[in-house]
Each structure stands twice: as C-alpha cells, then as structure tokens.
C-alpha cells in the first residue's frame, strides 16, 4: 500500500466521520458542514457532533450542529487554520460555546505510516504475534492503551514483547472502521527507553498493512513521548482534530 493510497483512505474516513467529501480537507478555504450519524464512521465517535474541527494542514472542516453553524464559521474564518487549535485563539471558541453548555474536550494529533520509512525495528526482547484468543486475559490497567476494555470486540491483533516469558510490552490495534485500524502501545516502566515501543508499533503496522488495512496512530500533541514513538516507528503527522462536548460530560471525565 503506497503512501498516497494510505492518505486517500484517511481522507475518505475523515469524510465519513465529518459528513463531507474527501476533497474538502484539501481546499484552500474552510468548509462548514452539518454533522450527521454514519454507520461507517469510526466506532468510538459520538455522532452527530455538536462541534468538531478537523485539519489536514490546508484548511479546517468544521462539522457542527445547525445552531452552531454561524458561530463556528465566524471563528474558523477569523484565525489561521493552525491557530484555531491552540490558545489564546481557542478561548474565543470556548467562550462562544459555553452559552450552549459546550466546551472544548478532545484534542489530538493523528499519524499515518510512511511506507518508504516503515520497517520492522529490532526489539531487545522476544516478540510474538497475538490473535484475539491470545490476549483475552490481558485487559488490565497496564495494557489500557494497547487494548480497550469498553470496545473489546474491536481489538483484532497485537504484538507482545517478552522477557523470559513475562509480557513487558504490548501493541494492539482496534478495527475502528472498515479500512483503518488504530494502534496503541504500552511498555512496563522498567523496560522503557530501550526501543521496545517502536519495535512493537512498527511490527504491528506492517502486520496491519499485510492485511490490506491502513494503520493509524493517535496522541495528544503534548504527549512528547508518544509522538517520539510515532516518528521512530515510521509514522508522520497527518491530521489534527478538536471536538467539543457538553460541559457536564467534561466534568464527569475529569472526576474519573
């Protein structure tokens, strides 16, 4: 699968998620659309969005509730695309959302593999490919990035690293949509900074590509450690996304 083919799959999936056309993300001007539920959207998204901003670096596609169309249009057209995702400009949007009981909630950067760079990196420990039956007993806190307890049915494949038979690192992927599988990785504290995460991530990405799916990786842009792992593993930044949620839901997440 070529870099262009992977990028096209990502655009097509983002279009399903945002209720727009793939080419809308490549326009010079911003695009505002009404959000809608879609059975082919990423499984963990809560649709329709109240307010969601997505940028592949060219513009912003805002997928919004009808009552927020004017507010969000004014905001994204006021500042450069990249500035709409950061403070101090972001406070303008947050102030406009509060009367609707909403606020900025999820902010993340998404990464896609570069097939010209991606390769199986060496791991200082034994690695094993794990199928669903192999990791059913691994839904524990230490592997919460690699596997998702709430969506166990979506976890399809994993790669583990073992030190004398003990699992010390795990990368897993979830079939979040039909064409793209998301990678998450965990390494036990005593085994970090040894190349384990990047070895597992790169190996799993190659396994996903071999199954004719596009792997993708997500992290907060403040998570420097995770971003470094993405780069070492052969991934490159592809798009960013900001999603608003009801303030009551945000408060509940903060309590957790």
């Amino acid at each position: 699968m070529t870099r262009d083919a992977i990028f096209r799959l990502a655009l097509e999936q983002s279009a399903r998620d945002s209720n727009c056309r793939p080419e809308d993300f490549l326009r010079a001007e911003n695009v505002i659309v009404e959000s809608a539920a879609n059975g082919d959207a990423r499984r963990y998204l809560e649709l329709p969005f109240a307010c969601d901003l997505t940028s592949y670096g060219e513009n912003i596609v805002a997928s919004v509730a009808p009552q927020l169309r004017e507010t969000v249009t004014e905001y994204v057209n006021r500042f450069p695309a990249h500035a709409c995702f950061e403070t101090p400009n972001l406070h303008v949007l947050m102030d406009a959302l509060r009367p609707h009981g909403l606020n900025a909630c999820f902010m993340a950067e998404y990464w896609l593999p570069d097939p010209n760079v991606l390769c199986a990196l060496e791991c200082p420990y034994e690695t094993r490919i794990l199928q669903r039956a192999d990791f059913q007993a691994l839904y524990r806190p230490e592997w919460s990035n690699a596997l998702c307890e709430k969506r166990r049915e979506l976890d399809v494949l994993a790669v583990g690293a073992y030190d004398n038979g003990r699992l010390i690192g795990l990368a897993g992927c979830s079939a979040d949509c039909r064409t793209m599988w998301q990678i998450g990785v965990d390494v036990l504290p005593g085994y970090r900074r040894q190349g384990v995460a990047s070895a597992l991530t790169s190996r799993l990405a190659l396994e996903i590509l071999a199954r004719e799916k596009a792997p993708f990786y997500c992290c907060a842009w403040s998570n420097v450690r995770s971003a470094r792992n993405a780069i070492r593993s052969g991934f490159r930044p592809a798009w960013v996304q900001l999603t608003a949620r009801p303030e009551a839901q945000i408060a509940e997440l903060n309590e957790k």
Side-chain angles (χ1 to χ4, degrees):
M1 193 177 291
T2 66
R3 182 171 55 185
D4 288 345
I6 293 170
F7 187 68
R8 181 66 189 181
L9 287 177
L11 289 175
E12 291 172 350
Q13 186 58 51
S14 290
R16 298 183 191 102
D17 300 339
S18 295
N19 194 34
C20 65
R21 295 172 296 182
E23 56 269 24
D24 287 339
F25 297 100
L26 305 179
R27 299 186 185 279
E29 69 279 1
N30 296 318
V31 177
I32 317 298
V33 296
E34 184 175 332
S35 181
N38 188 324
D40 291 325
R42 279 176 282 159
R43 300 293 185 267
Y44 56 87
L45 297 180
E46 298 178 18
L47 296 177
F49 293 124
C51 173
D52 180 88
L53 310 183
T54 299
S55 178
Y56 276 76
E58 301 300 328
N59 69 344
I60 293 176
V61 171
S63 185
V64 301
Q67 65 270 24
L68 291 175
R69 187 182 189 100
E70 183 177 346
T71 296
V72 177
T73 300
E74 180 180 350
Y75 173 70
V76 299
N77 288 335
R78 179 175 173 180
F79 304 109
H82 72 275
C84 289
F85 293 84
E86 62 184 13
T87 55
N89 308 101
L90 184 56
H91 288 293
V92 174
L93 177 63
M94 295 165 70
D95 288 343
L97 291 177
R98 284 194 184 96
H100 301 274
L102 302 166
N103 214 324
C105 184
F106 301 118
M107 302 168 64
E109 183 171 20
Y110 291 84
W111 307 68
L112 295 173
D114 183 346
N116 299 323
V117 177
L118 180 67
C119 64
L121 299 176
E122 290 190 12
C123 183
Y125 302 95
E126 174 196 1
T127 61
R128 304 175 194 168
I129 302 295
L130 305 177
Q131 306 294 335
R132 271 180 171 153
D134 302 318
F135 54 73
Q136 291 308 304
L138 299 179
Y139 285 91
R140 301 195 298 265
E142 62 266 39
W143 312 122
S144 60
N145 289 311
L147 302 172
C148 181
E149 174 69 34
K150 291 183 178 180
R151 296 184 295 275
R152 293 171 66 120
E153 71 281 1
L154 298 181
D155 293 332
V156 291
L157 191 67
V159 180
Y162 295 83
D163 183 7
N164 293 318
R166 177 195 179 201
L167 182 66
I168 58 91
L170 183 68
C173 64
S174 55
D176 290 334
C177 44
R178 180 173 49 84
T179 60
M180 302 182 72
W181 291 359
Q182 181 171 194
I183 293 177
V185 62
D186 292 289
V187 177
L188 296 182
Y191 293 87
R192 292 171 185 167
R193 302 184 68 84
Q194 299 181 45
V196 176
S198 55
L200 296 177
T201 302
S202 61
R203 176 74 182 278
L204 184 55
L206 289 168
E207 292 291 334
I208 294 170
L209 287 170
R211 289 160 174 77
E212 299 185 344
K213 305 294 183 181
F216 71 103
Y217 187 99
C218 172
C219 70
W221 41 71
S222 57
N223 192 338
V224 176
R225 186 173 64 188
S226 187
R228 285 174 177 163
N229 178 58
I231 293 169
R232 285 195 300 265
S233 303
F235 284 71
R236 299 295 181 261
W239 77 95
V240 295
Q241 194 161 2
L242 183 156
T243 306
R245 285 282 183 265
E247 290 193 312
Q249 183 180 359
I250 294 171
E252 182 179 350
L253 291 170
N254 284 331
E255 287 297 321
K256 292 180 180 179

